[in-house]
Amino acid sequence: MHTENTQKRAYTEQETSAYIGMSRSFLRQSRMEGHRENRTEAPPFIKIGRAVRYLKEDLDNWLNRHRKFTHLTCEGGEHA
């Protein structure tokens, strides 16, 4: 029996939700609607038959593309 610890490459919707910290409903809605103005775009996904899967490398790239903030500001330039 092979007991080497291998890292999973394709995640289910539930695993993806936990990995990126977003809800499953966000994943479903963004998949169905595509990119919409003023909305966070969905991470890339693949379909294998009826199953939807997310590749770890795509999720890592998606997370890295989002801007990192040191603080939040309101419209008037004041801190939130």
Side-chain angles (χ1 to χ4, degrees):
M1 184 171 172
H2 195 38
T3 60
E4 181 181 319
N5 185 12
T6 59
Q7 189 173 24
K8 200 170 189 179
R9 182 171 178 231
Y11 292 165
T12 64
E13 183 181 84
Q14 186 172 359
E15 292 168 329
T16 298
S17 173
Y19 186 75
I20 67 171
M22 301 291 280
S23 69
R24 291 174 70 185
S25 63
F26 161 77
L27 293 171
R28 288 182 189 141
Q29 187 173 7
S30 58
R31 270 198 322 265
M32 298 306 245
E33 294 178 352
H35 181 64
R36 293 177 56 187
E37 190 174 340
N38 297 324
R39 296 257 178 119
T40 301
E41 68 179 277
F45 64 95
I46 59 173
K47 287 201 64 163
I48 303 169
R50 291 174 50 165
V52 174
R53 296 294 182 262
Y54 296 85
L55 299 178
K56 183 183 183 309
E57 56 267 26
D58 288 341
L59 296 175
D60 290 338
N61 289 333
W62 181 83
L63 288 168
N64 287 332
R65 278 197 311 267
H66 286 82
R67 187 172 176 188
K68 296 173 183 139
F69 293 96
T70 57
H71 65 277
L72 298 176
T73 59
C74 295
E75 274 195 35
E78 307 213 6
H79 289 82

Coordinates of all heavy atoms in Angstrom, one line a residue:
M1 N 0.8 -1.2 0.0 CA 0.0 0.0 0.0 C 0.9 1.3 0.0 O 1.8 1.4 0.8 CB -0.9 0.0 1.2 CG -1.9 1.1 1.3 SD -3.0 0.8 2.6 CE -3.9 2.3 2.6
H2 N 0.5 2.2 -0.8 CA 1.3 3.4 -1.0 C 0.8 4.5 0.0 O -0.4 4.9 -0.1 CB 1.2 3.9 -2.4 CG 2.2 4.9 -2.8 ND1 3.5 4.9 -2.4 CD2 2.1 6.0 -3.6 CE1 4.2 6.0 -2.9 NE2 3.3 6.6 -3.6
T3 N 1.6 5.0 0.9 CA 1.1 5.9 1.9 C 1.7 7.3 1.8 O 1.6 8.1 2.7 CB 1.5 5.4 3.3 OG1 2.9 5.2 3.4 CG2 0.7 4.1 3.6
E4 N 2.3 7.6 0.6 CA 2.9 8.9 0.4 C 1.8 10.0 0.5 O 0.7 9.8 -0.1 CB 3.6 9.0 -0.9 CG 4.3 10.3 -1.2 CD 5.0 10.3 -2.6 OE1 5.6 9.3 -2.9 OE2 4.8 11.3 -3.2
N5 N 2.1 11.1 1.2 CA 1.1 12.2 1.3 C 1.1 13.0 0.0 O 2.1 13.7 -0.2 CB 1.4 13.0 2.5 CG 0.4 14.1 2.7 OD1 -0.7 14.1 2.2 ND2 0.7 15.0 3.6
T6 N 0.1 12.9 -0.8 CA 0.0 13.7 -2.1 C -1.0 14.8 -1.9 O -2.0 14.6 -1.3 CB -0.4 12.8 -3.3 OG1 -1.6 12.2 -3.0 CG2 0.7 11.7 -3.5
Q7 N -0.6 15.9 -2.5 CA -1.5 17.1 -2.4 C -2.5 17.0 -3.5 O -2.2 16.7 -4.7 CB -0.7 18.3 -2.5 CG -1.5 19.6 -2.2 CD -0.6 20.8 -2.2 OE1 0.4 20.8 -2.7 NE2 -1.1 21.8 -1.5
K8 N -3.8 17.3 -3.2 CA -4.9 17.3 -4.1 C -4.7 18.4 -5.1 O -4.4 19.5 -4.7 CB -6.2 17.4 -3.4 CG -7.4 17.0 -4.1 CD -8.6 16.9 -3.2 CE -9.7 16.2 -3.8 NZ -10.9 16.1 -3.0
R9 N -5.0 18.2 -6.4 CA -4.9 19.2 -7.4 C -6.2 19.8 -7.8 O -6.3 21.0 -8.1 CB -4.2 18.6 -8.7 CG -4.0 19.6 -9.8 CD -3.2 19.1 -10.9 NE -3.1 20.1 -11.9 CZ -3.3 19.9 -13.2 NH1 -3.7 18.7 -13.6 NH2 -3.2 20.9 -14.0
A10 N -7.3 19.0 -7.8 CA -8.6 19.6 -8.2 C -9.5 19.5 -7.0 O -9.6 18.5 -6.3 CB -9.2 18.7 -9.3
Y11 N -10.1 20.7 -6.7 CA -11.0 20.8 -5.5 C -12.5 20.8 -5.9 O -12.8 21.4 -7.0 CB -10.7 22.1 -4.8 CG -9.3 22.2 -4.1 CD1 -8.8 23.4 -3.7 CD2 -8.5 21.1 -3.9 CE1 -7.6 23.5 -3.1 CE2 -7.3 21.1 -3.3 CZ -6.8 22.4 -2.9 OH -5.6 22.4 -2.2
T12 N -13.3 20.3 -5.0 CA -14.7 20.4 -5.2 C -15.2 21.8 -4.9 O -14.4 22.6 -4.3 CB -15.5 19.4 -4.3 OG1 -15.2 19.8 -2.9 CG2 -15.0 17.9 -4.5
E13 N -16.4 22.1 -5.1 CA -16.9 23.4 -4.7 C -16.8 23.7 -3.2 O -16.4 24.8 -2.8 CB -18.4 23.5 -5.2 CG -19.1 24.8 -4.9 CD -20.5 24.8 -5.4 OE1 -21.4 24.4 -4.6 OE2 -20.8 25.3 -6.5
Q14 N -17.1 22.7 -2.4 CA -17.0 22.8 -1.0 C -15.6 23.0 -0.5 O -15.3 23.9 0.3 CB -17.6 21.6 -0.3 CG -17.7 21.7 1.2 CD -18.5 20.6 1.8 OE1 -18.9 19.7 1.2 NE2 -18.5 20.6 3.2
E15 N -14.7 22.3 -1.1 CA -13.2 22.5 -0.7 C -12.7 23.8 -1.2 O -12.0 24.5 -0.5 CB -12.4 21.3 -1.4 CG -12.7 20.0 -0.8 CD -12.1 18.9 -1.6 OE1 -12.0 19.0 -2.9 OE2 -11.7 17.8 -1.0
T16 N -13.2 24.3 -2.4 CA -12.8 25.6 -2.9 C -13.3 26.7 -2.0 O -12.6 27.6 -1.7 CB -13.3 25.7 -4.4 OG1 -12.7 24.7 -5.2 CG2 -13.0 27.1 -4.9
S17 N -14.5 26.6 -1.6 CA -15.1 27.6 -0.7 C -14.3 27.8 0.5 O -14.0 28.9 0.9 CB -16.5 27.2 -0.4 OG -17.1 28.0 0.6
A18 N -13.9 26.7 1.1 CA -13.1 26.7 2.3 C -11.7 27.3 2.0 O -11.1 28.1 2.8 CB -13.0 25.3 3.0
Y19 N -11.1 26.9 0.9 CA -9.7 27.3 0.5 C -9.6 28.8 0.3 O -8.7 29.4 0.7 CB -9.3 26.5 -0.7 CG -7.8 26.7 -1.1 CD1 -6.8 26.1 -0.3 CD2 -7.5 27.5 -2.2 CE1 -5.5 26.3 -0.7 CE2 -6.2 27.7 -2.5 CZ -5.2 27.1 -1.7 OH -3.8 27.3 -2.1
I20 N -10.6 29.4 -0.4 CA -10.5 30.8 -0.7 C -11.3 31.7 0.2 O -11.2 32.9 0.1 CB -11.0 31.1 -2.2 CG1 -12.5 30.8 -2.4 CG2 -10.1 30.3 -3.2 CD1 -13.0 31.3 -3.7
G21 N -12.1 31.1 1.1 CA -12.8 31.9 2.1 C -14.0 32.6 1.5 O -14.4 33.7 2.0
M22 N -14.6 32.0 0.5 CA -15.8 32.6 -0.1 C -16.9 31.5 0.0 O -16.6 30.4 0.1 CB -15.6 33.0 -1.5 CG -14.5 34.0 -1.8 SD -14.9 35.7 -1.1 CE -15.9 36.3 -2.4
S23 N -18.2 32.0 0.0 CA -19.3 31.0 0.1 C -19.5 30.2 -1.2 O -19.1 30.6 -2.3 CB -20.6 31.8 0.4 OG -21.0 32.6 -0.7
R24 N -20.1 29.1 -1.0 CA -20.5 28.2 -2.1 C -21.5 29.0 -3.0 O -21.4 28.8 -4.2 CB -21.1 26.9 -1.6 CG -20.0 26.0 -1.0 CD -20.6 24.8 -0.4 NE -21.0 23.9 -1.4 CZ -21.6 22.8 -1.2 NH1 -22.0 22.4 0.0 NH2 -22.0 22.0 -2.2
S25 N -22.3 29.8 -2.4 CA -23.3 30.5 -3.3 C -22.6 31.5 -4.1 O -23.0 31.8 -5.3 CB -24.4 31.2 -2.4 OG -23.8 32.1 -1.5
F26 N -21.5 32.1 -3.6 CA -20.7 33.1 -4.5 C -20.2 32.3 -5.7 O -20.2 32.8 -6.8 CB -19.5 33.7 -3.7 CG -18.5 34.2 -4.6 CD1 -18.6 35.4 -5.2 CD2 -17.3 33.5 -4.8 CE1 -17.6 36.0 -6.0 CE2 -16.3 34.0 -5.6 CZ -16.5 35.3 -6.2
L27 N -19.6 31.1 -5.4 CA -19.0 30.3 -6.5 C -20.1 30.0 -7.6 O -19.9 30.1 -8.8 CB -18.4 29.0 -6.0 CG -17.1 29.3 -5.1 CD1 -16.7 28.0 -4.5 CD2 -16.0 29.8 -6.0
R28 N -21.3 29.5 -7.1 CA -22.3 29.1 -8.0 C -22.8 30.3 -8.8 O -23.0 30.3 -10.0 CB -23.5 28.5 -7.2 CG -23.2 27.2 -6.7 CD -24.4 26.6 -6.0 NE -24.0 25.4 -5.3 CZ -24.5 25.0 -4.1 NH1 -25.3 25.8 -3.4 NH2 -24.1 23.9 -3.6
Q29 N -23.1 31.4 -8.1 CA -23.7 32.6 -8.8 C -22.7 33.2 -9.8 O -23.1 33.5 -10.9 CB -24.1 33.6 -7.7 CG -24.8 34.8 -8.3 CD -25.3 35.8 -7.3 OE1 -25.0 35.6 -6.1 NE2 -26.1 36.7 -7.7
S30 N -21.4 33.3 -9.4 CA -20.4 33.9 -10.3 C -20.2 32.9 -11.5 O -19.9 33.4 -12.6 CB -19.2 34.2 -9.6 OG -18.6 33.0 -9.0
R31 N -20.3 31.6 -11.3 CA -20.2 30.7 -12.5 C -21.3 30.9 -13.5 O -21.1 30.9 -14.7 CB -20.2 29.3 -12.0 CG -18.9 28.6 -11.7 CD -19.0 27.1 -11.6 NE -20.2 26.5 -11.1 CZ -20.3 26.1 -9.8 NH1 -19.3 26.3 -9.0 NH2 -21.4 25.5 -9.4
M32 N -22.5 31.1 -12.9 CA -23.7 31.2 -13.8 C -23.8 32.6 -14.5 O -24.2 32.6 -15.6 CB -25.0 31.0 -13.0 CG -25.0 29.6 -12.4 SD -24.8 28.3 -13.6 CE -26.4 27.5 -13.6
E33 N -23.4 33.6 -13.8 CA -23.6 35.0 -14.3 C -22.4 35.5 -15.1 O -22.5 36.4 -15.8 CB -23.9 35.9 -13.2 CG -25.2 35.7 -12.5 CD -25.5 36.6 -11.3 OE1 -24.6 37.4 -10.9 OE2 -26.6 36.6 -10.8
G34 N -21.2 34.9 -14.9 CA -20.0 35.4 -15.5 C -19.6 36.7 -14.8 O -20.1 37.0 -13.8
H35 N -18.7 37.4 -15.4 CA -18.1 38.6 -14.8 C -19.1 39.7 -15.0 O -19.6 40.0 -16.1 CB -16.8 39.0 -15.5 CG -16.2 40.2 -14.9 ND1 -15.8 40.3 -13.6 CD2 -16.0 41.4 -15.4 CE1 -15.4 41.5 -13.3 NE2 -15.5 42.2 -14.4
R36 N -19.5 40.4 -13.9 CA -20.3 41.6 -13.9 C -19.6 42.7 -13.3 O -18.8 42.6 -12.4 CB -21.6 41.2 -13.2 CG -22.5 40.2 -13.9 CD -23.7 39.8 -13.1 NE -24.5 41.0 -12.9 CZ -25.6 40.9 -12.1 NH1 -26.0 39.8 -11.6 NH2 -26.3 42.0 -11.9
E37 N -20.0 43.9 -13.8 CA -19.4 45.1 -13.3 C -19.6 45.3 -11.8 O -20.7 45.0 -11.3 CB -19.9 46.4 -14.0 CG -19.2 47.6 -13.7 CD -19.7 48.8 -14.6 OE1 -20.3 48.6 -15.6 OE2 -19.4 49.9 -14.2
N38 N -18.6 45.7 -11.1 CA -18.7 45.9 -9.6 C -18.9 44.6 -8.8 O -19.3 44.7 -7.7 CB -19.7 47.0 -9.2 CG -19.4 48.3 -9.8 OD1 -18.3 48.7 -9.9 ND2 -20.5 49.0 -10.2
R39 N -18.5 43.5 -9.4 CA -18.6 42.2 -8.7 C -17.3 41.6 -8.8 O -16.5 41.7 -9.8 CB -19.6 41.3 -9.3 CG -21.0 41.8 -9.3 CD -21.8 41.1 -8.2 NE -23.2 41.6 -8.1 CZ -24.2 40.9 -8.2 NH1 -24.1 39.6 -8.6 NH2 -25.4 41.4 -8.1
T40 N -16.9 40.8 -7.8 CA -15.7 40.0 -7.8 C -15.9 38.9 -8.8 O -16.9 38.2 -8.8 CB -15.4 39.4 -6.4 OG1 -15.3 40.5 -5.5 CG2 -14.1 38.6 -6.4
E41 N -14.9 38.8 -9.7 CA -15.0 37.7 -10.7 C -14.8 36.4 -10.1 O -14.1 36.3 -9.1 CB -14.0 38.0 -11.9 CG -12.5 37.8 -11.4 CD -11.5 38.0 -12.5 OE1 -11.3 37.1 -13.3 OE2 -11.0 39.2 -12.6
A42 N -15.3 35.4 -10.7 CA -15.2 34.0 -10.2 C -13.8 33.4 -10.5 O -13.2 33.8 -11.5 CB -16.2 33.1 -10.8
P43 N -13.3 32.5 -9.7 CA -12.1 31.9 -10.1 C -12.4 30.9 -11.2 O -13.5 30.4 -11.4 CB -11.7 31.1 -8.8 CG -13.0 31.0 -8.0 CD -13.8 32.1 -8.4
P44 N -11.4 30.6 -12.1 CA -11.6 29.7 -13.2 C -12.0 28.3 -12.7 O -11.5 27.9 -11.6 CB -10.2 29.7 -13.9 CG -9.4 30.8 -13.3 CD -10.0 31.1 -12.0
F45 N -12.8 27.6 -13.5 CA -13.2 26.3 -13.1 C -13.2 25.4 -14.3 O -13.1 25.9 -15.4 CB -14.6 26.3 -12.5 CG -15.7 26.8 -13.4 CD1 -16.4 25.8 -14.1 CD2 -15.9 28.1 -13.5 CE1 -17.4 26.3 -15.0 CE2 -17.0 28.5 -14.4 CZ -17.7 27.6 -15.1
I46 N -13.3 24.1 -14.1 CA -13.4 23.1 -15.2 C -14.6 22.2 -14.9 O -15.0 22.1 -13.8 CB -12.1 22.3 -15.3 CG1 -11.8 21.5 -14.0 CG2 -10.9 23.1 -15.7 CD1 -10.7 20.5 -14.1
K47 N -15.1 21.7 -16.0 CA -16.2 20.7 -15.8 C -15.7 19.4 -16.4 O -15.2 19.3 -17.4 CB -17.4 21.2 -16.6 CG -18.1 22.3 -15.9 CD -19.5 22.5 -16.3 CE -20.3 21.4 -15.9 NZ -21.8 21.5 -15.9
I48 N -16.0 18.4 -15.6 CA -15.7 17.0 -15.9 C -17.0 16.3 -15.9 O -17.5 16.0 -14.8 CB -14.7 16.3 -15.0 CG1 -13.4 17.2 -14.9 CG2 -14.4 14.9 -15.4 CD1 -12.4 16.8 -13.8
G49 N -17.6 16.1 -17.0 CA -19.0 15.6 -17.1 C -19.9 16.7 -16.4 O -19.9 17.8 -16.8
R50 N -20.6 16.3 -15.4 CA -21.5 17.3 -14.7 C -20.8 17.9 -13.5 O -21.3 18.8 -12.8 CB -22.7 16.6 -14.2 CG -23.6 16.2 -15.4 CD -24.8 15.4 -15.0 NE -25.5 16.0 -13.9 CZ -26.8 15.7 -13.5 NH1 -27.4 14.8 -14.2 NH2 -27.3 16.3 -12.5
A51 N -19.6 17.3 -13.1 CA -18.9 17.8 -12.0 C -18.1 19.1 -12.3 O -17.4 19.2 -13.3 CB -17.9 16.7 -11.5
V52 N -18.2 20.0 -11.3 CA -17.4 21.3 -11.4 C -16.2 21.1 -10.5 O -16.3 20.7 -9.3 CB -18.2 22.5 -11.0 CG1 -17.4 23.7 -11.0 CG2 -19.4 22.7 -12.0
R53 N -15.0 21.4 -11.0 CA -13.8 21.3 -10.2 C -13.0 22.6 -10.4 O -13.0 23.3 -11.4 CB -12.9 20.1 -10.6 CG -13.6 18.8 -10.3 CD -13.8 18.6 -8.8 NE -14.4 17.3 -8.5 CZ -15.6 17.1 -8.2 NH1 -16.5 18.1 -8.3 NH2 -16.1 15.9 -7.9
Y54 N -12.2 22.9 -9.4 CA -11.3 24.1 -9.4 C -9.9 23.6 -9.2 O -9.6 22.8 -8.2 CB -11.7 25.0 -8.3 CG -13.0 25.6 -8.4 CD1 -14.2 25.0 -8.0 CD2 -13.2 26.9 -9.0 CE1 -15.4 25.5 -8.1 CE2 -14.5 27.5 -9.1 CZ -15.6 26.8 -8.7 OH -16.8 27.3 -8.8
L55 N -9.0 24.0 -10.0 CA -7.6 23.6 -9.9 C -6.8 24.5 -8.9 O -7.0 25.7 -8.9 CB -6.9 23.7 -11.3 CG -7.4 22.7 -12.3 CD1 -6.7 22.9 -13.7 CD2 -7.4 21.3 -11.9
K56 N -6.1 23.9 -8.1 CA -5.4 24.6 -7.0 C -4.5 25.7 -7.6 O -4.5 26.8 -7.0 CB -4.5 23.7 -6.2 CG -3.8 24.4 -5.0 CD -2.9 23.5 -4.2 CE -2.3 24.1 -3.0 NZ -1.6 25.4 -3.3
E57 N -3.8 25.5 -8.6 CA -2.9 26.5 -9.2 C -3.8 27.7 -9.7 O -3.4 28.9 -9.6 CB -2.0 26.0 -10.3 CG -2.7 25.3 -11.4 CD -2.8 23.8 -11.3 OE1 -2.8 23.3 -10.1 OE2 -2.9 23.1 -12.3
D58 N -5.0 27.5 -10.3 CA -5.8 28.5 -10.7 C -6.3 29.3 -9.5 O -6.4 30.6 -9.5 CB -7.1 28.0 -11.4 CG -6.7 27.5 -12.8 OD1 -5.6 27.8 -13.3 OD2 -7.5 26.7 -13.4
L59 N -6.7 28.7 -8.4 CA -7.1 29.3 -7.2 C -6.0 30.2 -6.6 O -6.3 31.3 -6.2 CB -7.6 28.3 -6.2 CG -8.8 27.5 -6.6 CD1 -9.1 26.4 -5.5 CD2 -10.0 28.4 -6.8
D60 N -4.8 29.7 -6.6 CA -3.7 30.5 -6.0 C -3.5 31.7 -6.9 O -3.2 32.8 -6.4 CB -2.4 29.6 -6.0 CG -2.5 28.6 -4.9 OD1 -3.3 28.7 -3.9 OD2 -1.8 27.5 -5.0
N61 N -3.5 31.6 -8.2 CA -3.3 32.7 -9.1 C -4.5 33.7 -8.9 O -4.2 34.9 -8.9 CB -3.3 32.3 -10.6 CG -2.0 31.6 -10.9 OD1 -1.0 31.8 -10.2 ND2 -2.0 30.7 -11.9
W62 N -5.7 33.2 -8.8 CA -6.9 34.1 -8.6 C -6.7 34.9 -7.3 O -7.0 36.1 -7.3 CB -8.1 33.2 -8.6 CG -9.4 34.0 -8.4 CD1 -10.1 34.6 -9.4 CD2 -10.1 34.2 -7.2 NE1 -11.3 35.2 -8.8 CE2 -11.3 34.9 -7.5 CE3 -9.9 33.8 -5.9 CZ2 -12.2 35.3 -6.5 CZ3 -10.9 34.1 -4.9 CH2 -12.0 34.9 -5.2
L63 N -6.3 34.3 -6.2 CA -6.1 35.0 -5.0 C -5.0 36.0 -5.1 O -5.1 37.1 -4.6 CB -5.7 34.0 -3.8 CG -6.9 33.1 -3.4 CD1 -6.4 32.0 -2.5 CD2 -7.9 33.9 -2.6
N64 N -3.9 35.7 -5.8 CA -2.8 36.6 -5.9 C -3.1 37.8 -6.8 O -2.5 38.9 -6.6 CB -1.6 35.9 -6.5 CG -0.9 34.9 -5.5 OD1 -1.0 35.1 -4.3 ND2 -0.3 33.9 -6.0
R65 N -4.1 37.7 -7.7 CA -4.5 38.8 -8.6 C -5.2 39.9 -7.8 O -5.3 41.0 -8.3 CB -5.3 38.3 -9.7 CG -4.5 37.7 -10.9 CD -5.3 37.6 -12.1 NE -6.6 37.0 -12.0 CZ -6.9 35.7 -12.1 NH1 -6.0 34.9 -12.4 NH2 -8.1 35.3 -12.0
H66 N -5.8 39.6 -6.7 CA -6.6 40.6 -6.0 C -5.7 41.5 -5.2 O -4.8 41.1 -4.6 CB -7.7 39.9 -5.1 CG -8.8 39.3 -5.9 ND1 -8.7 38.1 -6.6 CD2 -10.0 39.8 -6.3 CE1 -9.8 37.8 -7.2 NE2 -10.6 38.9 -7.1
R67 N -6.1 42.8 -5.3 CA -5.3 43.8 -4.6 C -5.3 43.6 -3.1 O -6.3 43.3 -2.5 CB -5.9 45.2 -5.0 CG -5.1 46.3 -4.5 CD -5.7 47.6 -5.1 NE -4.9 48.7 -4.5 CZ -5.2 49.9 -4.7 NH1 -6.2 50.3 -5.4 NH2 -4.5 50.8 -4.2
K68 N -4.1 43.9 -2.6 CA -3.9 43.8 -1.1 C -4.0 45.2 -0.6 O -3.3 46.1 -1.1 CB -2.6 43.1 -0.8 CG -2.6 41.7 -1.3 CD -1.2 41.0 -1.1 CE -1.3 39.7 -1.7 NZ -0.1 39.3 -2.4
F69 N -4.8 45.4 0.5 CA -5.0 46.7 1.1 C -4.3 46.7 2.4 O -4.3 45.7 3.2 CB -6.5 47.0 1.3 CG -7.2 47.2 0.0 CD1 -7.9 46.1 -0.5 CD2 -7.2 48.4 -0.6 CE1 -8.6 46.3 -1.7 CE2 -7.9 48.5 -1.8 CZ -8.6 47.5 -2.4
T70 N -3.7 47.9 2.8 CA -3.2 48.1 4.1 C -4.2 48.7 5.0 O -4.1 48.6 6.2 CB -1.9 48.9 4.1 OG1 -2.2 50.2 3.4 CG2 -0.8 48.2 3.3
H71 N -5.2 49.4 4.4 CA -6.3 50.0 5.1 C -7.5 50.3 4.2 O -7.2 50.4 3.0 CB -5.9 51.3 5.9 CG -5.5 52.4 5.0 ND1 -4.2 52.5 4.5 CD2 -6.2 53.4 4.5 CE1 -4.1 53.5 3.7 NE2 -5.3 54.1 3.7
L72 N -8.6 50.5 4.7 CA -9.8 50.9 3.9 C -10.1 52.4 4.0 O -9.9 52.9 5.0 CB -11.0 50.1 4.3 CG -10.9 48.6 4.2 CD1 -12.2 47.9 4.7 CD2 -10.7 48.2 2.7
T73 N -10.6 52.9 2.9 CA -10.9 54.3 2.9 C -12.4 54.5 2.5 O -12.9 53.7 1.6 CB -10.0 55.2 2.1 OG1 -10.1 54.7 0.7 CG2 -8.6 55.2 2.5
C74 N -13.0 55.5 3.0 CA -14.4 55.9 2.5 C -14.2 56.8 1.3 O -13.1 57.3 1.0 CB -15.1 56.6 3.6 SG -15.5 55.6 5.0
E75 N -15.3 57.2 0.7 CA -15.3 58.1 -0.5 C -14.6 59.4 -0.2 O -13.9 59.9 -1.1 CB -16.7 58.3 -1.1 CG -17.1 57.2 -2.0 CD -18.3 57.6 -2.9 OE1 -18.4 58.7 -3.2 OE2 -19.1 56.7 -3.1
G76 N -14.8 59.9 0.9 CA -14.2 61.2 1.3 C -12.8 61.2 1.6 O -12.1 62.1 2.0
G77 N -12.2 60.0 1.5 CA -10.8 59.8 1.9 C -10.5 59.5 3.3 O -9.4 59.4 3.8
E78 N -11.6 59.3 4.1 CA -11.4 59.0 5.5 C -11.4 57.5 5.7 O -11.9 56.8 4.9 CB -12.6 59.6 6.3 CG -12.7 61.1 6.0 CD -13.2 61.9 7.2 OE1 -13.3 61.3 8.2 OE2 -13.4 63.1 7.0
H79 N -10.8 57.1 6.8 CA -10.7 55.7 7.1 C -12.1 55.1 7.5 O -12.9 55.8 8.1 CB -9.8 55.4 8.3 CG -8.3 55.6 7.9 ND1 -7.8 56.9 7.9 CD2 -7.4 54.8 7.5 CE1 -6.5 56.8 7.5 NE2 -6.3 55.5 7.3
A80 N -12.3 53.9 7.1 CA -13.6 53.2 7.4 C -13.5 52.6 8.8 O -12.5 52.3 9.3 CB -13.9 52.1 6.4

